[in-house]
Each structure stands twice: as C-alpha cells, then as structure tokens.
Amino acid sequence: MITTFAAALNAGLRRALEDDPKVVLMGEDIGHLGGVFRVTDTLQKDFGNHRVVDTPLAESGIIGTAFGMALRGFRPVCEIQFDGFVYPAFDQIVSHVAKIHFRTQGTVVAPLTIRIPFGGGIGSVEHHSESPEAYFAHTAGLRVVTPSNPADAYLMIRQAIALDDPVIFFEPKRRYWDKADVDFAAIEGTPLDQARVCLPGTDATVVAYGGTVATALTAAKIAAEEGHSLEVIDLRSLSPIDFDTIEASVTKTGRLVVVHEAPVFAGLGAEIAARITERCFYHLEAPVLRVGGFDIPYPPAKLEKHHLPDPDRILAAVDRSLAA
C-alpha cells in the first residue's frame, strides 16, 4: 500500500497499541491534536486518553514519568515534539534511563522508546532543525536508530517498542511526507541494528542515514549518468553501528564517503571514518571523506539549503575520492 512516512509511523504505533496493553504513548499535543506532524492522529480517539496521554510542556517530566512506568512493566513511547526540545530531558536519559540496566547488574530493564523528529529541511526556526544524534550514540546503554523510508518506519517503530532496551528513535522530519509502498502485513524485517545496501555499486561507497539517504540516492543517480557506480548504504542503526556491512562494501569499492546533516566535527561520520580506516586500511584507495553540516548553530531557514548536504556536495566528495 502506498503511504507516507508519517502514516506508516502511525500504523506502526497503532499496531503496537493493539498488540500490547502495556504500550502507552506520551507527549505534548499527541492526543486530541494528533501531534504537530499528525503522526499520532486518531490514536487517542481509538485507544482512549489513558493509552495516548497529552502531557504538560515539560520534557524532563515526560521522560522521568515514562522511566518510572517502564520500571513498573509498561512500555512507554514518548514523543519529543522537536529535536531541540530534548535537552531539558537529557539528564534523565543519559544519567538514569541509559544506566539502569548496568547499575542493577542486568536485573532491571527499561523498555522505553523516545521518538524525536530531527534534522532540517522544513524551513523552521531555531531549536526545530537540530541533529543531536551524536550525544546519544556516545552514551552507553542506549540504542539509537533512524528509519529513512516509510516501510522501515512502520517496522522499526514496532521493533523498537518490543525491545527491553531504551531506544532513541530519530525521525527525519523532512521525510514525513515522502510516499512509498508499505506492507502492513509484514511481521519481520531487517534486524533493527543492521544496515542495508540500498543501491549496489562498484566505484565508491556512500553511507548515509535518516533524511540524507534520499539525498545520497539522488547523488548516485546523477553519478551513474556520469559513468560512476556508487554503492549507497542506509545505516539505520547509529548505536550500535553495523560496521560489517560497511566494511564489506568498502573492501569492494575501496572508497568511502559518509553523509549526515549534523556538523562534521565529532559527528557520527568521524567514528565511522576511524573504524573503517582501521578495518579496511589495505583496501582503501583514498581517505574516508565526510559531508555534513558546518560547525555552527543551525542557521536561519533562508540559509539552511547552504548548510545541509545536497547531491552536489556529495558528488564533489566522490570526485575528490576518485581523483586520489
């Protein structure tokens, strides 16, 4: 069935609510309004305000309450309305949610999923277009994932909710209106922590995640018209990272370009570059290159197109790699 990214998430949340009475959705304006992006539209009407809970505007309170519920056997799914709003809840997430399993020597689990619309591309204002994934990927005890398409959105949100681990679930907000075919009868898909080769290629590997996967595929299409074959990998999981899939690709192509919206400095691309340089040193024909945002606060909406990676910037990095 052809559906949007947002509708696929809605269907995945609906299925999780149907399958497990312990699943509870929580967040600002997610009930009657259906969320800012309407991802939770009609769910409160169908499941009641005790299962889909409109919370106060207090992110620390949302996560603290959900954490307590998770310790008592519930499976809360929290929505942080925008990426830049997660920081008031940061202490709860990294100091308590992430550490409870280790702190109790494995006896206590926290099946908590935190949904965060992230990234730019929608012309929004300050604190509404950030990419804070590196903060959470750096924190042991958290799984960090991001789907890039409607089919993955539907399956990955269900997989995340079913886990006993806390999951940071980043949703690329500029892809909410992308459409694709989704099999709503599907029960199992690609494992949550496994990357996927979206497009096979031979000349260079391009790794992307979230909103930049579609950008990388556009760049690969342009490259093909110029006679270059790019292999595009959708990372899907940011912690843990599926280095085996990347290594297999780079062993074949000899070149790697990593793409993300977050600033290049100390971003996920840095870790990927370091690990693949270690693991594929004798296969690399050129240095691993990174394409990302600049080391600045997120710019005003009128300037964001210069900040976000686009096909031209990706292809420029590919050309540098091929010329090495």
Side-chain angles (χ1 to χ4, degrees):
M1 178 180 178
I2 302 298
T3 191
T4 65
F5 192 110
L9 282 170
N10 181 282
L13 292 168
R14 177 178 294 276
R15 184 67 180 271
L17 287 162
E18 291 171 345
D19 289 348
D20 188 345
K22 293 293 187 179
V23 172
V24 178
L25 310 189
M26 305 170 60
E28 300 163 5
D29 298 319
I30 70 167
H32 180 71
L33 180 66
V36 171
F37 297 102
R38 304 300 186 267
V39 170
T40 53
D41 194 32
T42 74
L43 294 181
Q44 188 181 73
K45 176 176 70 69
D46 295 340
F47 292 93
N49 58 14
H50 64 295
R51 300 284 308 279
V52 182
V53 183
D54 280 313
T55 67
L57 305 183
E59 286 76 17
S60 180
I62 294 170
I63 301 302
T65 300
F67 181 45
M69 293 175 66
L71 298 183
R72 298 298 295 173
F74 287 90
R75 291 186 177 272
V77 182
C78 300
E79 177 182 298
I80 301 297
Q81 200 167 75
F82 282 93
D83 35 45
F85 299 176
V86 74
Y87 302 123
F90 190 76
D91 180 52
Q92 293 278 11
I93 296 170
V94 303
S95 297
H96 303 292
V97 174
K99 293 178 170 58
I100 190 66
H101 192 66
F102 181 81
R103 185 180 296 146
T104 61
Q105 298 183 352
T107 60
V108 175
V109 296
L112 170 58
T113 301
I114 303 172
R115 296 179 42 242
I116 307 176
F118 85 123
I122 65 168
S124 197
V125 296
E126 187 180 20
H127 302 312
H128 291 69
S129 299
E130 300 189 18
S131 298
E133 60 269 22
Y135 296 129
F136 299 104
H138 183 73
T139 303
L142 299 175
R143 287 179 181 258
V144 184
V145 302
T146 176
S148 68
N149 59 77
D152 264 357
Y154 173 67
L155 282 171
M156 288 174 69
I157 190 64
R158 292 174 56 198
Q159 291 171 324
I161 295 170
L163 284 175
D164 285 336
D165 298 325
V167 180
I168 307 296
F169 194 91
F170 282 109
E171 301 167 7
K173 65 175 78 76
R174 62 170 161 157
R175 302 299 173 200
Y176 275 142
W177 301 276
D178 287 3
K179 292 183 178 181
D181 188 34
V182 177
D183 180 8
F184 290 119
I187 299 175
E188 295 182 358
T190 304
L192 191 61
D193 58 358
Q194 185 174 314
R196 178 187 297 119
V197 177
C198 299
L199 181 70
T202 57
D203 295 335
T205 300
V206 178
V207 169
Y209 58 84
T212 58
V213 174
T215 311
L217 288 170
T218 299
K221 182 178 179 180
I222 297 170
E225 295 171 354
E226 299 173 350
H228 299 306
S229 173
L230 303 185
E231 181 149 297
V232 178
I233 294 177
D234 180 357
L235 202 56
R236 301 176 75 249
S237 176
L238 311 185
S239 180
I241 291 175
D242 178 8
F243 287 108
D244 290 343
T245 295
I246 305 173
E247 179 181 355
S249 178
V250 173
T251 299
K252 176 177 63 175
T253 66
R255 292 173 169 84
L256 175 61
V257 175
V258 186
V259 184
H260 52 64
E261 291 187 25
V264 168
F265 181 76
L268 265 291
E271 178 64 25
I272 294 170
R275 292 290 187 101
I276 293 303
T277 298
E278 291 176 1
R279 296 174 64 157
C280 300
F281 184 80
Y282 293 105
H283 295 281
L284 284 167
E285 302 291 340
V288 178
L289 299 178
R290 293 169 288 160
V291 179
F294 301 106
D295 193 21
I296 58 173
Y298 198 86
K302 289 184 178 180
L303 300 177
E304 71 174 354
K305 67 178 182 180
H306 302 293
H307 179 74
L308 297 173
D310 60 15
D312 287 341
R313 288 176 60 193
I314 296 173
L315 291 172
V318 170
D319 288 343
R320 286 172 54 204
S321 183
L322 293 173

